[in-house]
Amino acid sequence: MSTVESPTEIDTLEPPASETNADSEGQGNEEIREFIERDYQYGFVSDLDQEILPKGLNEDVVRFISAKKDEPEWLLEWRLNAFRHFMTMTEPHWQNVSFPKIDYQDISYWAGPKKKGPAPKSLDEIDPKTREMFDKLGISLAEQERLSGVAVDAIVDSVSVATTFKTKLAEAGVVFCSFSEAVRTHPELVRQYLGTVVPPRDNFFAALNSAVFSDGSFVFVPEGVRCPMELSTYFRMNAAETGQFERTLIIAEKGATVSYLEGCTAPMRDENQLHAAVVELIALDDANIKYSTVQNWYPGDENGVGGIYNFVTKRGKCAGHRSKISWTQVETGSAITWKYPSVVLQGDDSVGEFYSVAVTTHYQQADTGTKMVHIGKNTSSTIVSKGISAGKAQQTYRGQVKMMRSATGSRNHTQCDSLLIGSDCGAHTFPYIEVKNDSSEVEHEASTSKISDDQLFYCRQRGMNEEDATSMIVNGFCRDVFDELPMEFAVEAQALMRVSLEGSVG
Amino acid sequence: MLRIEDLRATIDGREILQGLDLEINAGEVHAIMGPNGAGKSTLSSVLTGRDGYDISGKVTFEDEDLLEMAPEERAAKGIFLAFQYPVEIPGVGNMYFLRTAVNAVRRERGEPEVDAVTFLGSVKQHMAELDMDPGMLSRSVNDGFSGGEKKRNEVLQMAMLQPKLAILDETDSGLDIDALRLVAGGIQRLRSPERSMLIITHYPRLLEYVVPDYVHVLSQGRIIRTGDASLAYELEEEGYRGTEASLSGTGGGASK
């Protein structure tokens, strides 16, 4: 009943960056008003202007959320079961990060699509610092307008792009929609797969998410279909407010292939400090799922004040033979990151991959890594983790490789490299390796290095300034992982690294 | 072009350069020879702006105060150092590095970036002359290169960057005869009336291919003797000790 306290058993957290608060305007005030009135009707909100559920967590809150979404009875029961279990658990503290105690009764668990003051009329009204960041990341003007919620045609553009996008997917039989929509339109699929990879009782934050999840993405790729395009949260319809407890479910049927991109490189601000998302992936026979994340949530300021707590549970199940699940992540944001995207290799000859770049600067903390659980025969997994620490940041790689008795002839290769910039930061590595049969092979390589003065001087002697040189050396360090990113992300990721490390040298 | 007056450099409390004077004019090739620990590499480090030295004295490059400039500014002004130990940068493609360097220097000078096609054509030509495998362009900078490959890569960078003053720090060390010939050929091709060179070496063999206008003997942080190319062979016969003994007390003077 208690929380699983052992690090080897836990899998945790991070909220997929979804859309920013950009386009809630478009929905019109009508809907918002309706929302508010309904809030009032349920008696949770006393003030007509308020769009947020009062703080606190109890069964009524869970019922309220479920009712808000017109969910079927079974889903409400599922949430309530998760909630009841959550109440018996205690917050885990085995991770190598520190933060003040979170008061779970001091959080509001529902917020309607809220209007954040009048929309800016043009980019000129946007905070110059934010614009500067956009420019450095090479984000187009139209995109900048969209992200900043500028009320212009750009939003119309993105809707029309999204519509074209949806038609094309529908022709291929791919379902790509918000989680709430999937509950309405494909309840049987949701019911069949929800919680089969990350059960509600899996860990403290997964239980919390299961009880109060707001929204997220749903993807279903039918048998034999190769999804005709990369699926990006960027183009997801109804993406407005997914909130702090995001829930994502991706199913690839036999022989299906899909690549999913989550997040974007633009800085993501959010008022909610705690984010606890759950992502579940299911790959049947010969299916292939590639999940790429760029996470750039607000990391707090230079003094470590503020910033997002990013506590995510991400796990994929290679349920079918010869299936493959690949996680690629670039993590630069959040005050605290705590996530272990994992793969359960159940089908014979299935393949799991984890490619990660994590950057921590100033006072950021990250405890991240992966778990590869080998169950099927001849399964193989690859882990490549690149951690970069600067300033006073502390970063931990925590990885588990488990070869079950049944996983004969299986292999794992782990490569875990840390790069330190400056002398006040730290890198820590905790590999857990468990092998229960005698025909499997596990390899673990680890290194820790510093950007050397020699490297910097060499680049500067060739005419590059210190920042360009650092950025080049760091990107070189990350190359194995960047090579795995879809094209769209790869170029942006390099720019992001540069911005993230700005000012951390010299 | 380069004027050094009473240059002193101290590191960890030890004075390595103890009042060095040297003047190099456009188009001249100067060789600096001297025993281990004489301060040869310190001279190249100080001229290119490496951190860690307490420096006094005066160094001007085209009448500007060189010691005030950051390393990258000196590079943009046209000062190039072929490193004695070229540095490995894993994951950074050699081609990418080279192009970034060329464009960084061009940008600093207010010139437009070089287009990819022109650049590639030029790199390939220089590589052919140095008998370098074009595959080296896609490998990481100096990563896993043999000693000879590293030195040739330095000369390739020099050819691409077209510096005004090239400082070659023991570029000939560790090379077999064939590689030495190729590297020397690469250096010799870059000689021009506008370009000056400062070649730091232990042996006269490089100087057979790249015949210097002046040879200086550096000992205990000062230039103790200056001559023409024949001095290199004299040193080979007598050793530095002989030179030091016969010249102790007489200091200094560089060419012109």
Side-chain angles (χ1 to χ4, degrees), chain B residues 95-145:
Chain B
M95 168 88 155
Y96 178 75
F97 180 82
L98 202 50
R99 213 171 145 208
T100 305
V102 168
N103 283 330
V105 167
R106 290 178 71 99
R107 203 166 44 239
E108 193 74 25
R109 292 180 187 157
E111 295 167 13
E113 296 201 344
V114 63
D115 74 273
V117 178
T118 313
F119 178 80
L120 190 61
S122 171
V123 174
K124 290 225 158 128
Q125 187 203 327
H126 289 303
M127 289 184 91
E129 285 167 357
L130 290 165
D131 193 29
M132 287 171 77
D133 172 10
M136 284 176 73
L137 281 178
S138 49
R139 288 165 61 185
S140 296
V141 178
N142 295 321
D143 194 14
F145 286 21

Side-chain angles (χ1 to χ4, degrees), chain A residues 298-307 362-363:
Chain A
Y298 182 54
D301 67 14
E302 303 86 63
N303 302 313
V305 177
H362 302 307
Y363 285 88

Side-chain angles (χ1 to χ4, degrees), chain A residues 438-456:
Chain A
D438 55 12
S439 60
S440 291
E441 284 175 36
V442 178
E443 295 167 23
H444 183 98
E445 284 179 47
S447 75
T448 302
S449 53
K450 286 185 77 164
I451 290 189
S452 72
D453 292 342
D454 284 346
Q455 283 175 328
L456 273 178

Side-chain angles (χ1 to χ4, degrees), chain A residues 202-222:
Chain A
D202 190 78
N203 67 69
F204 183 80
F205 293 102
L208 177 62
N209 175 287
S210 300
V212 300
F213 68 84
S214 37
D215 210 335
S217 295
F218 177 82
V219 176
F220 174 78
V221 187

Side-chain angles (χ1 to χ4, degrees), chain A residues 44 132 140 174 203 209-210 252 342 393 435 446 453 474 476:
Chain A
F44 279 94
E132 196 184 312
S140 72
V174 175
N203 67 69
N209 175 287
S210 300
S342 306
V435 182
D453 292 342
V474 169

Side-chain angles (χ1 to χ4, degrees), chain A residues 52-322:
Chain A
I52 299 173
L53 194 61
K55 290 171 178 176
L57 180 58
N58 54 49
E59 282 206 14
D60 286 342
V61 168
V62 176
R63 288 178 195 282
F64 174 83
I65 294 170
S66 188
K68 266 291 184 204
K69 297 173 155 301
D70 281 329
E71 286 177 352
E73 189 59 29
W74 68 264
L75 190 50
L76 172 62
E77 277 310 312
W78 194 84
R79 284 178 182 271
L80 287 171
N81 280 333
F83 174 75
R84 286 167 197 144
H85 187 70
F86 171 77
M87 295 307 284
T88 67
M89 303 171 94
T90 48
E91 194 180 75
H93 285 285
W94 47 261
Q95 68 278 22
N96 188 23
V97 298
S98 60
F99 54 92
K101 194 162 172 47
I102 299 170
D103 181 353
Y104 294 91
Q105 295 300 335
D106 194 37
I107 293 172
S108 168
Y109 290 86
W110 172 268
K114 50 191 174 218
K115 193 166 154 66
K116 301 200 167 127
K121 301 247 178 339
S122 76
L123 278 176
D124 297 339
E125 293 180 20
I126 307 292
D127 173 22
K129 263 196 159 167
T130 308
R131 286 208 62 184
E132 196 184 312
M133 173 87 76
F134 281 151
D135 289 338
K136 282 179 184 162
L137 289 168
I139 293 167
S140 72
L141 279 181
E143 172 77 344
Q144 291 189 21
E145 289 176 335
R146 198 188 67 85
L147 292 165
S148 329
V150 170
V152 287
D153 296 349
I155 291 166
V156 178
D157 279 356
S158 85
V159 169
S160 66
V161 169
T163 312
T164 323
F165 190 79
K166 252 202 152 170
T167 315
K168 207 167 164 190
L169 288 176
E171 280 167 12
V174 175
V175 181
F176 179 35
C177 60
S178 74
F179 195 91
S180 308
E181 190 182 335
V183 170
R184 288 194 300 275
T185 57
H186 298 83
E188 71 297 339
L189 283 174
V190 176
R191 193 169 186 177
Q192 184 183 347
Y193 290 107
L194 180 66
T196 58
V197 186
V198 180
R201 297 174 171 223
D202 190 78
N203 67 69
F204 183 80
F205 293 102
L208 177 62
N209 175 287
S210 300
V212 300
F213 68 84
S214 37
D215 210 335
S217 295
F218 177 82
V219 176
F220 174 78
V221 187
E223 185 166 345
V225 171
R226 172 176 285 270
C227 186
M229 61 192 69
E230 312 256 1
L231 299 181
S232 164
T233 42
Y234 177 96
F235 285 126
R236 192 185 56 217
M237 301 287 278
N238 310 325
E241 279 275 341
T242 42
Q244 60 192 128
F245 301 103
E246 187 162 347
R247 185 100 200 177
T248 295
L249 178 58
I250 298 177
I251 302 144
E253 281 202 317
K254 287 183 182 176
T257 295
V258 62
S259 169
Y260 184 87
L261 316 183
E262 166 195 70
C264 65
T265 49
M268 307 281 276
R269 289 210 171 239
D270 195 297
E271 299 308 313
N272 299 310
Q273 186 162 46
L274 173 67
H275 281 242
V278 170
V279 176
E280 297 179 278
L281 314 180
I282 295 129
L284 303 185
D285 287 354
D286 301 295
N288 192 330
I289 301 176
K290 184 179 176 72
Y291 192 106
S292 311
T293 305
V294 171
Q295 187 265 114
N296 190 15
W297 294 97
Y298 182 54
D301 67 14
E302 303 86 63
N303 302 313
V305 177
I308 302 290
Y309 294 176
N310 194 8
F311 300 165
V312 186
T313 306
K314 286 180 162 180
R315 194 177 303 154
K317 182 152 83 179
C318 283
H321 299 315
R322 298 166 304 279

